[in-house]
Amino acid sequence: MPDSVQEKVIDIIARQAVLDRSDVSLNQTLEDLGIDSLALVESIFSIEEAFDIEVPFNANNPAESDFDISSVASIVKAVKKLLSEQGG
Amino acid sequence: MNRVVITGAGTINALGHSVPATMEAMRDGRCGIGELKIRDVERLSVRIGGQVREYEAEIHFNRQQISLFDRFTQFTMLATKEAIGQSGLKFAGELAVRSGVVLGTAGGGVNTWDENYRSVYEDGKNRVHPFVVPKLMNNAAASHVSMEYNLKGPSFTVATACASSNHAMGQAFNLVRSGVAPVMVTGGSESMLCFGGVKAWEGLRVMSKDACRPFSANRNGMVQGEGAAIFVFEDYSHAKARGADILAEVVGFAMSSDAADIVMPSKQGAARSISGAMTDAGLNPTDVGYINAHGTGTAANDKTECAAVADVFGHHADKLMISSTKSMHGHLIGGTGAVELLACIMALRDGVIAPTIGYQEPDPECALDVVPNEARDAKVTAVLSNAFAFGGMNAVIALRKI
C-alpha cells in the first residue's frame, strides 16, 4: 500500500529542490538536495498547507525545534507524528 | 567633481515594454490609460489606470523568482535588464565593489500586502507564505538588482511618495559625481493598481474617473499608472574610455521641503527646487528649453507648478515648453520621475518634445506652452524634470545634451 504522507512530503521536497521526485530518497539530507534556508521555510509552509497542521519550527534554531529535519525520512516521521497529535 | 552621463535606459509601463516602444508612444501622443482589469474593480469608484498590459510574469520569471518578486520588483528587473544591456557594462572586480543601485518606490510590494491581507482577513486563513516580508519590503527590488548584477557598492531605496525616483536618481547622481561610485543603477518602480491600492487613493478624492488632463481647465484629477524605469548613471570618463553610447548628461539636482502641509503643494518649495537644480547644474534660466512637469492633473498641483515655473523663469517661462506625460502613462507615484526622464532624454537626443495629451481648454492659471496634444520637433540643449511629492518633498533633476 503506498504511503501517502511520504509521497506528499517527497513531492513537496522535490518541488523545492527542483528535482524529479524519483531523485529524492529517504536517507538524503536537505543539504544533499540543495535546499537552503529560504527553501526550507517554504517547504515547511507547503507541508502545513498540504496536511493542515502546525509545524513547530523556528528558523533561528532548527535543532531545538520539535521537528526533525535531519533527513527526508525524519521529516516524514515528524509529519506523521504531528498528524496523529493534531488529527489533521 | 566628475561629470555624470546616462549610458543605459530601460522601462516597462502602460505605454510599452521597452524604451523604444515608450518613446514611440510618447511621440504619437498615445494614451496608455484604460479600464482597470483587477479583482473587485466593480467595488471601486475609480476604474481607470495606466496598467501594464499584455504582461505575464511567467514568461519572464521562474516559479522561485515569482515567489520572491512582487510586481514592482518584476517591473524593476525587466527595466534593469534593458538598461544594463544597453550600457554594455559587466560588473566584476573593483567596478562591482564600488558600483551600486539606488531606487525609488513609494509603496514597495503593495500587491503582496493586498493579497496577503485578503488571505488572512477575507479568506480567514491563519498562515501566509514565508516570503511575504522579503517580497513586500521597499528595498526588495534594489536588492534583487544588486544580486542579479553583482552590484556591491552603495545601495538603498528611497521613499518620498511621488518624488521617490527623482530623489533616488539625485542620490545616484551625487554618488557618481563625488567619485564614491563609478556607476550607479538608478530609477524607480511602482505597482499599486490593486483593489486596496486604488481604494486608498479614492479616499483622497483627487482621482479622475475619466482621464488625466494636466493644465487643461476642465481637468478633474490624477490617474494612477504602474511600471518602472531604470537608468545607468556613469562617470563620464569611465564611459568615454570604454566608448559607451551616451544618452544624455546629468548636470544638476536639487531638493527642498515645503515644511508646510502634508498634501497641499507650495509654490515656494517647488520654486526653490527648480532654481536649485539650475544653480547646481550651472544653467541659466534661458538655457532651459523643456521641463517635464510633475503635472498630475489636479488643480492643486498644476496651478502651483505653473506659478512656480513663472516665478523662477520670469519672461523665459513663456518661451520654454512644459509638458506632462502623465496624461499618457498615468502617475506612477514613486516610479513616475524615472519614466518621465525618458521624455527628457527623447527631447535632448531626438529633438522631440512629448505632448500633454487630453488637453481641451486653456486655463489662465496655467498659461504656459504645455505642448498640447501633439508632440513637437524642437532642438533643446537643457531640460528639467520636476517631482513634487505629498508631504512637501520636492526633487528636480537637470539634464543636458551631450
Side-chain angles (χ1 to χ4, degrees):
Chain A
M1 194 176 113
D3 182 337
S4 69
V5 171
Q6 182 174 307
E7 300 283 303
K8 263 199 214 176
V9 169
I10 290 175
D11 273 344
I12 288 166
I13 289 171
R15 190 158 182 259
Q16 281 301 325
V18 199
L19 290 172
D20 198 280
R21 64 184 318 287
S22 60
D23 293 332
V24 176
S25 61
L26 287 169
N27 59 355
Q28 281 177 301
T29 67
L30 296 181
E31 201 181 350
D32 294 338
L33 295 163
I35 290 186
D36 64 7
S37 63
L38 266 189
L40 172 59
V41 289
E42 207 181 10
S43 303
I44 287 171
F45 169 74
S46 299
I47 287 170
E48 289 184 321
E49 290 282 283
F51 297 102
D52 194 21
I53 54 175
E54 292 294 324
V55 174
F57 177 80
N58 185 333
N60 297 299
N61 197 345
E64 279 191 11
S65 301
D66 190 20
F67 187 78
D68 185 357
I69 55 161
S70 51
S71 69
V72 176
S74 76
I75 294 173
V76 172
K77 196 175 154 201
V79 169
K80 286 180 176 171
K81 181 164 168 266
L82 290 171
L83 278 169
S84 68
E85 287 165 6
Q86 299 178 13
Chain B
M1 285 201 299
N2 299 320
R3 290 173 68 185
V4 182
V5 293
I6 303 175
T7 55
T11 191
I12 177 166
N13 64 80
L15 292 177
H17 293 200
S18 67
V19 170
T22 300
M23 288 188 178
E24 186 189 303
M26 286 179 174
R27 273 196 298 271
D28 294 348
R30 214 180 299 148
C31 186
I33 293 165
E35 274 179 42
L36 281 176
K37 291 191 175 69
I38 55 175
R39 189 173 165 185
D40 290 339
V41 69
E42 64 284 354
R43 286 179 56 209
L44 294 170
S45 62
V46 170
R47 295 179 187 178
I48 58 166
Q51 240 180 328
V52 170
R53 308 277 180 195
E54 290 164 27
Y55 175 74
E56 279 178 53
E58 292 72 18
I59 291 171
H60 305 286
F61 304 106
N62 64 34
R63 187 188 63 84
Q64 190 65 17
Q65 288 172 314
I66 289 170
S67 73
L68 281 163
F69 294 3
D70 179 271
R71 197 168 160 94
F72 94 104
T73 300
Q74 294 174 20
F75 291 158
T76 303
M77 299 307 278
L78 294 174
T80 305
K81 190 176 181 186
E82 186 184 8
I84 294 182
Q86 181 179 32
S87 77
L89 284 165
K90 296 268 184 290
F91 296 94
E94 179 73 2
L95 181 66
V97 169
R98 293 182 56 219
S99 301
V101 48
V102 183
L103 302 181
T105 186
V110 177
N111 276 278
T112 299
W113 284 108
D114 200 55
E115 283 160 18
N116 287 283
Y117 276 148
R118 220 184 242 290
S119 164
V120 293
Y121 293 148
E122 184 177 322
D123 305 336
K125 290 195 68 166
N126 280 328
R127 96 174 46 97
V128 296
H129 192 277
F131 300 171
V132 172
V133 168
K135 192 173 181 177
L136 64 76
M137 61 192 191
N138 279 30
N139 61 315
S143 296
H144 285 294
V145 168
S146 77
M147 290 185 272
E148 180 76 23
Y149 295 96
N150 197 31
L151 298 162
K152 297 176 173 172
S155 299
F156 54 98
T157 294
V158 178
T160 47
C162 314
S164 301
S165 50
N166 267 21
H167 275 110
M169 293 188 293
Q171 304 319 302
F173 166 57
N174 281 321
L175 285 164
V176 177
R177 181 154 76 162
S178 63
V180 171
V183 177
M184 290 297 296
V185 175
T186 188
S189 176
E190 202 73 74
S191 176
M192 45 173 87
L193 291 175
C194 53
F195 179 75
V198 178
K199 187 53 87 180
W201 277 98
E202 272 181 19
L204 270 167
R205 316 282 166 145
V206 294
M207 306 282 281
S208 170
K209 291 178 183 175
D210 53 10
C212 176
R213 297 187 194 88
F215 310 121
S216 189
N218 63 342
R219 65 188 172 274
N220 58 6
M222 54 174 272
V223 175
Q224 218 182 118
E226 65 171 356
I230 300 292
F231 301 91
V232 176
F233 282 14
E234 185 171 356
D235 173 9
Y236 174 70
S237 52
H238 189 272
K240 197 81 183 159
R242 65 185 188 89
D245 183 21
I246 294 171
L247 304 178
E249 180 172 3
V250 189
V251 286
F253 173 72
M255 44 190 164
S256 67
S257 174
D258 297 343
D261 191 277
I262 196 68
V263 290
M264 289 306 287
S266 138
K267 182 178 79 166
Q268 290 79 10
R272 285 192 292 124
S273 257
I274 295 168
S275 58
M278 287 194 292
T279 304
D280 189 48
L283 292 170
N284 293 313
T286 50
D287 296 330
V288 176
Y290 169 66
I291 300 173
N292 185 286
H294 192 54
T296 57
T298 62
N301 175 83
D302 293 2
K303 288 177 186 181
T304 307
E305 183 167 19
C306 289
V309 168
D311 275 11
V312 172
F313 288 91
H315 290 307
H316 185 64
D318 296 328
K319 297 198 180 92
L320 57 76
M321 293 167 282
I322 176 168
S323 70
S324 170
T325 51
K326 285 186 180 73
S327 55
M328 297 181 273
H329 50 65
H331 190 339
L332 279 77
I333 317 293
T336 210
V339 170
E340 290 162 30
L341 204 71
L342 294 169
C344 294
I345 292 172
M346 185 170 81
L348 293 170
R349 199 170 157 85
D350 304 333
V352 178
I353 309 297
T356 304
I357 69 163
Y359 187 83
Q360 294 171 333
E361 283 177 41
D363 176 355
E365 287 188 80
C366 302
L368 300 173
D369 178 0
V370 300
V371 196
N373 300 321
E374 283 182 21
R376 196 179 302 163
D377 292 329
K379 281 202 164 54
V380 292
T381 53
V383 303
L384 301 179
S385 184
N386 289 346
F388 309 129
F390 273 176
M393 293 179 178
N394 312 303
V396 176
I397 194 160
L399 301 188
R400 191 160 55 196
K401 191 180 175 74
I402 194 155

